[in-house]
Structure formats: C-alpha cells, structure tokens
Amino acid sequence: MENIIDVQHLSYRYQDTDGRPALDDISFTVKAGEWLALVGHNGSGKSTLARAVDGLLPFSEGTVTVGGIKLTPETVWEVREKIGMIFQNPDNQFVGATVEDDVAFGLENRQISRAEMVPRVKAALDEVGMQTFAQREPGALSGGQKQRVALAGIVAIAPDILILDEATSMLDPQGRRDMLALVQRLREEKHLTVISITHDIDEAASADRVLVIDDGKLVEEAQPAEIFAQGERLIHLGLDVPFTAKLKQALQDRGITVPTGYQTTTEMEEWLWQSLSNT
Amino acid sequence: MSNFIFGRYLPLNSTVHRLDPRSKLLLSFCYLIVVFLANSWLSYAILIGFTLAAILSSKISLGFFLKGLRPMLWLIAFTVVVQLLFSPAGGHVYFHWTILNITQAGLVNSGVIFIRFLLIIMMSTLLTLSTQPLDIATGLSSLMRPLRWVRIPVDTLAMMLAIALRFVPTLMDEATKIMNAQRARGVDFGEGGLIKQAKSFIPLMVPLFMSAFNRAEDLSTAMEARGYRDSEHRSQYRILTWQRRDTMTWIVFLMVVAAMLATRRW
C-alpha cells in the first residue's frame, strides 16, 4: 500500500521555550488505511506532531507530504481537505449553536451550497447515531455525545485521514469504548487512515502500529503486542495503567495491604470507605 | 444568573414565534417610532389594541410580561411622578405648593408617558420572549448586510456574536464551578462591604479569564483545522425565509399605523 503521510526530518521549536526542540528530527510514514497510535508523556511532543502534519504549526525544518501533496503555506488548505481532526476538549471544538449547525461548520467553510449541505449534515448525523439531537444545544449533550458530533462534522467533509488528538481522554470509560467502536466502524466503512494520540491502553491496542515519542524524539516503533509485552515500562512510555491499579500500587508502596485482582472505581471506593471506617 | 439574560426565551409554537426574526426586529423598531407619533387617546387605544392582540397570539401568559416590567418599575414611577409634578401650567390646577403643581396638563402628560413606557416594554419583551437569542443574532446580521458596502465586516461580527452566544452557557457553568471550588477554600461571595465584595470576585475572575483564553485558543485551532479561513468566503447553513405570515403581519401592522395616523391630532 502507498504511503498517505510521509514525514521526513521534522523539527519544531516553540518560540517561548528555552530552545529545546518540541520536535527533534522526526521521520515516519503512514500507509493508507493504517491505524497508527502515537503515545508518549504529557509534553513529549505528540500533539505538536499532529498539529504540524495538519499545517497548524509553521515548522521550518523537514518535510511533510500528505496524499502526495507537500505541505507548504500555499498548499495548507489543500492538505487540510484530506485531514479531519478531533481534539481533547469536547466543548472547545463545538463551534455551532446547535448540533446541526456544528456539523455544517466545515461545509460552510468549503462554501458548499445549502441544498447540498442539508442532506450531508443529515447523513453524517445518521452515521454517528445523533440524528435525534440535530436541534439540540451543546449544553444539553454529554462529553461523549459532543465528540460524536465532532466526528459527524468530519464525516460530512469526507477526509481520507482522521487524527484523534487525545479525543477520548476527557470521556468516561463507557464513552471511550463507544467512541472507539464508532471510529473502528467509520474507518472500515470510509477506508479512513487513523492517527490516534493517546494515553489509553485500549485505544493504543486498536492500532496496527504504535510510535512512542519522548522529548520530541521518536524512540520506538512497534506492534501494540510488542509494546504491551513490556509490562512495567508502559508507564514510562506514557500509557495509562488503570487508575485503580495505580492507586493500589501507591498504597502497597506505603505498606498497606490491598485486595488482589482488578477492582472497578466503585469497588475501590467501597473498599477505601470500609478500611477508613475500621481505623 | 443565566435566567437574567437567556431564560427569557419561551419555546412555544405560536405564529409570533414562527415569524422571521428579521420581520420581528424591524417591526419592533418601527413600532418604537409609531408609539412616539401617537398623541390622541383614540390613537393610543388603537396601539394598545394591537399590542394586546400581538401578546395574545404569542400564547405567552401575561404574567411573563409583568415580570419583564418589574426591573423598569422605578424608572417608570420616577418619570411619571416628575411629569406629574413639574409640568407647565395648563388647564385646571388641582394642587399647588411652591414650585410643585399638579395640573390637568401634567396629569395628561404623565398618563401619556406611562402608556408609552408600557407599550414599548411590552413589545420588546414580546420580541425576546418569542425569539431565540441565536435567531436574533442571525436576523440582526442579515439586516446589517447592506453595511458591507461601507466596509463594515458584518460576517465577522456575526460570527463573533454567534460564538459569544454559544459560549455564554459554557462560561456560566464554569463560573459556578469555580465559585464552588473557591467557596470550598473559604471565599465568601457577596458578603461584607462593597469593597470586600468586589475583592471576593478576584478569585473568580482570574481563573475564569484564564480558562476563557485557553478555550479561545483551542477553539481557534479547531476552527482552523476544520477549514475556517475568514467569515466572508463561507456559505450559510442557517437561512431565514420570509413567509406569508410575515407579509400578513406587516399588512396588519401598516393598517394599524394608518388607523393611528388618521386618529392622531395634527
């Protein structure tokens, strides 16, 4: 399969930092139809990388080629046609006053006539199962529903590439699973290439390939299975071990006996209450 | 707090609600002029009749209009009393004490002022009760469209207004959260003297502004990623359509204006 994204020797420096590059000589390629996960600590540069690919950052060194088009200030809008991006905070990317207005936003920007917009908005909302919410205001939606609306906005403009910039990190576990299942389905139906930037182990596991970024450098590239086999090192790579497991580990380190096996947050809460009231 | 500005819209399904917002905005504006043109009792009676008919056809109960009147009550009372006491002499004098006179002319003037206030407030309350803020914004920007010819960036202003309206509830929620968080840390909102009260709002305003700036930055990145370049080169999803009921409403309104003009003193 052909490479839909080709990044060569990409470097970027934020102006206000101490000169340490946010991206340091990064090269990688993404095949059409592939699902690529980018993992790394907060501040490792993974979001910066995604933004550079979408032309949202004016990098000076290196080249980015998307779908055969080299990214330059002249071609940036052409490149963005091919990429749909979903960000972390569901509220801060909801532009429209209602669900349908928001889905139409990308179409309005492309000066598509209203006659064509109406069926496309409707079809996109059908696709993500939000058609009954078309007239609702964002305040009446949950975080997961808002992210689904954001997905509908991308389905409406039909790009080739979907970038999820920690798009599930502010959702509850159920919302996360729903969102991932929806992305999986859309990816198969629309033959999308997916790049997901994530801390979530399930999301990284859905990928065909995982890139690990640390301090702006590409430090590892592997199949998810190879990464997960590294156990303890996952935390160093910037992947989230479930919160209850982290809490238990921290308690254990302080010499407190904790129940074995996996607990849900509620079970853990229950156990904490009981142990606190016994002391 | 949100009730103060936005709880005003009452979602009902009446003819008034379904009118084109442009039609309602323009009509409210014209009505303002018409109210000041009326001067005879009969011409006022006609306008009162029209206003009542408009209120009735909106299916909104009168109570909401009285509520809309409440914040203006002191202003109305003050103006009426001033008119009553300081009017120029004319007609029968009912009461006289130093510079204060209650005369027949004064009584008439204060009655007229009262009716004018009442009519204007009723009509503007009807506009806000029956029209969503977003529709008002869309209507306004559509009416201001001709200003593009004098290089006023109407589309950009409309986009700013729409985004501002969109984020009001979000920022309201945020303000409530911050207030609760600061209360948990021992801040008293709305207690003590004026200066102390004002100071207590600093721990609210600073984080609220910080977050608003962060949101603005996120939002602009998201807008750009979705292909937003400028407000001029965009198509419109939300459109306003002038319908038969708008034309009918204007015909009725113009007939009322004609009747008012015929009965006023020239």
Side-chain angles (χ1 to χ4, degrees), chain A residues 51 54 56 77 80 85 87 91-98 100-112 114 117-118 121 137-138 153, chain B residues 132 134 159 162-163 166-167 169-170 173 211 214-216 218-230 232-239:
Chain A
R51 272 156 216 226
D54 198 24
L56 294 165
W77 297 105
R80 271 182 209 159
M85 214 164 161
F87 298 90
D91 258 318
N92 296 358
Q93 54 187 313
F94 205 111
V95 189
T98 67
E100 52 177 355
D101 283 294
D102 189 63
V103 176
F105 181 75
L107 299 170
E108 290 177 321
N109 291 336
R110 287 162 178 78
Q111 300 195 54
I112 286 159
R114 190 184 138 82
M117 260 196 271
V118 174
V121 167
E137 287 169 24
Chain B
Q132 290 192 51
L134 181 71
M159 174 64 89
I163 287 176
R166 143 76 188 92
F167 274 91
T170 310
D173 280 352
S211 126
N214 284 333
R215 280 181 194 281
D218 279 3
L219 184 72
S220 65
T221 309
M223 285 171 73
E224 224 183 307
R226 292 172 72 181
Y228 178 82
R229 288 191 235 194
D230 58 61
E232 272 73 35
H233 302 96
R234 304 182 72 233
S235 52
Q236 292 287 325
Y237 179 74
R238 192 172 274 269
I239 51 158

Side-chain angles (χ1 to χ4, degrees), chain B residues 112-148:
Chain B
V112 164
I113 290 281
F114 179 70
I115 290 171
R116 280 181 182 171
F117 258 118
L118 205 66
L119 288 177
I120 290 170
I121 292 169
M122 288 290 178
M123 210 48 149
S124 52
T125 309
L126 180 63
L127 175 72
T128 50
L129 282 176
S130 71
T131 322
Q132 290 192 51
L134 181 71
D135 283 335
I136 294 184
T138 319
L140 265 179
S141 55
S142 165
L143 288 174
M144 292 191 310
R145 194 139 289 222
L147 292 180
R148 278 197 294 193

Side-chain angles (χ1 to χ4, degrees), chain A residues 145-184:
Chain A
Q145 289 172 326
K146 279 178 209 159
Q147 292 300 63
R148 265 151 73 191
V149 173
L151 258 180
I154 283 165
V155 169
I157 57 168
D160 302 323
I161 302 159
L162 172 64
I163 300 181
L164 305 169
D165 186 357
E166 299 191 37
T168 62
S169 67
M170 287 176 79
L171 307 183
D172 55 52
Q174 186 60 47
R176 241 177 237 203
R177 277 193 293 275
D178 291 349
M179 180 87 177
L180 273 184
L182 182 60
V183 170
Q184 285 278 23

Side-chain angles (χ1 to χ4, degrees), chain A residues 52-207:
Chain A
V53 170
D54 198 24
L56 294 165
L57 289 175
F59 57 89
S60 50
E61 290 163 61
T63 57
V64 172
T65 314
V66 178
I69 301 167
K70 190 164 174 267
L71 181 62
T72 63
E74 287 75 40
T75 59
V76 64
W77 297 105
E78 221 177 313
V79 166
R80 271 182 209 159
E81 287 294 299
K82 300 178 182 297
I83 302 177
M85 214 164 161
I86 299 188
F87 298 90
Q88 181 175 22
N89 190 322
D91 258 318
N92 296 358
Q93 54 187 313
F94 205 111
V95 189
T98 67
V99 168
E100 52 177 355
D101 283 294
D102 189 63
V103 176
F105 181 75
L107 299 170
E108 290 177 321
N109 291 336
R110 287 162 178 78
Q111 300 195 54
I112 286 159
S113 72
R114 190 184 138 82
E116 198 186 325
M117 260 196 271
V118 174
R120 276 171 82 167
V121 167
K122 198 182 165 300
L125 283 174
D126 275 340
E127 199 82 66
V128 302
M130 291 291 289
Q131 60 277 41
T132 49
F133 294 84
Q135 316 281 334
R136 297 282 186 90
E137 287 169 24
L141 305 179
S142 72
Q145 289 172 326
K146 279 178 209 159
Q147 292 300 63
R148 265 151 73 191
V149 173
L151 258 180
I154 283 165
V155 169
I157 57 168
D160 302 323
I161 302 159
L162 172 64
I163 300 181
L164 305 169
D165 186 357
E166 299 191 37
T168 62
S169 67
M170 287 176 79
L171 307 183
D172 55 52
Q174 186 60 47
R176 241 177 237 203
R177 277 193 293 275
D178 291 349
M179 180 87 177
L180 273 184
L182 182 60
V183 170
Q184 285 278 23
R185 207 192 74 218
L186 290 176
R187 178 193 171 217
E188 278 162 32
E189 281 173 20
K190 318 266 171 203
H191 309 291
L192 286 171
T193 306
V194 177
I195 298 180
S196 67
I197 295 159
T198 186
H199 288 290
D200 184 52
I201 227 163
D202 291 330
E203 199 173 321
S206 310

